[in-house]
Amino acid sequence: MSFPVRIGVQLQPQHAPDYGLIRDAVLRAEDLGVDVLFNWDHFYPLYGDPEGAHYECWTMLGAWAEQTERVEFGPLVTCNSYRNPELLADMARTVDHISGGRLIFGIGSGWFERDYTEYGYEFGTKGSRLDELATSLPRITDRLGKLNPAPLRDIPLMIGGSGPRKTLPLVAQYANIWHAFLGVDSYREKSALLAEYCAEVGRDPAEIERSAEVRYEGDKAATLAYTDDITAEGVSLLTVATSGPDYDLSAAELLCDWRDANS
């Protein structure tokens, strides 16, 4: 199975004291030709002023579902720890319906300790959070199958992470999309390991769409070189990130032009 090359942009919901700045960025991104829009699921900024402006993930996704017409969208990624898995499935189904069937259900085990301590969740350990994710995924899948009305499509499940002992086996078993934050050599190694886990559960690894972050620091040539190299490894969903208040989309425009020139 081959997947078309798609360009994503993560509009990080931080440092935008006026939500209108995010609303405008969503419009600009869709008009630019971006294929997928992401936010993230945190309660405080991850960089910059730690006390800066920040908004909640899923409330925002409901707004994006109404605001947009074409793009797929979702969290990159939602934190499994913050919501009951049955509730999370219902939220995803509802947002999917609002959008007419365009949600990507990104999920991970969580890692940002301040979110946990400030909001009263047990932080645990990396291992315990991954174990909790492993327990939640079949509950989410089961609930999606029971909801009335049902989701408008089999909502693509995207798992973020590349841990070799716990995350990649979950990707092999459950994910439609695998998102990784890796260099090309590391990606190649983890992709080979994922193929081994897929073989163990009787799944073709080519069924899983590959997604990666593209970091842009102003060097267009280096960015496009990485883009060429990582797509040669099978990655088809390439996502750049941008933060408030400006939400600069120049990197997204660069990748959209690259996509169009190579399509």
Side-chain angles (χ1 to χ4, degrees), residues 213-248:
E213 178 189 38
V214 178
R215 296 186 179 181
Y216 178 68
E217 298 177 350
D219 188 332
K220 293 183 179 181
T223 299
L224 294 180
Y226 173 80
T227 301
D228 287 334
D229 291 343
I230 201 71
T231 53
E233 297 297 329
V235 171
S236 59
L237 177 52
L238 303 148
T239 298
V240 292
T242 183
S243 184
D246 297 330
Y247 291 106
D248 181 0

Side-chain angles (χ1 to χ4, degrees), residues 52 74 81 92 118 124 131 150 153 156 168 180 186 194 218 243:
S81 304
E118 295 271 5
D131 289 342
R153 62 173 179 169
L168 289 181
S186 296
L194 175 60
S243 184

Side-chain angles (χ1 to χ4, degrees), residues 36-39 61 64 72-76 102-106:
V36 185
L37 290 175
F38 293 112
N39 61 5
L61 293 176
W64 290 7
E72 292 189 271
F73 65 96
L76 183 58
R102 291 181 287 117
L103 179 73
I104 293 175
F105 191 172

Side-chain angles (χ1 to χ4, degrees), residues 109-189:
S109 59
W111 62 272
F112 189 40
E113 187 170 5
R114 186 183 182 191
D115 284 347
Y116 287 79
T117 56
E118 295 271 5
Y119 276 63
Y121 299 105
E122 181 179 351
F123 186 56
T125 65
K126 183 177 181 179
S128 68
R129 294 190 300 274
L130 282 165
D131 289 342
E132 185 180 355
L133 177 61
T135 300
S136 294
L137 286 170
R139 291 172 59 183
I140 289 169
T141 301
D142 182 64
R143 181 55 53 184
L144 286 170
K146 293 178 178 178
L147 292 169
N148 183 19
L152 292 175
R153 62 173 179 169
D154 290 332
I155 300 174
L157 182 71
M158 179 174 69
I159 295 179
S162 56
R165 292 191 303 108
K166 292 189 176 183
T167 303
L168 289 181
L170 293 177
V171 173
Q173 186 169 2
Y174 292 102
N176 304 105
I177 307 171
W178 170 43
H179 183 82
F181 305 87
L182 296 169
V184 174
D185 291 340
S186 296
Y187 179 86
R188 186 181 301 117
E189 294 173 3

Side-chain angles (χ1 to χ4, degrees), residues 243-258:
S243 184
D246 297 330
Y247 291 106
D248 181 0
L249 296 179
S250 58
E253 183 175 10
L254 177 68
L255 290 188
C256 285
D257 289 343
W258 173 88

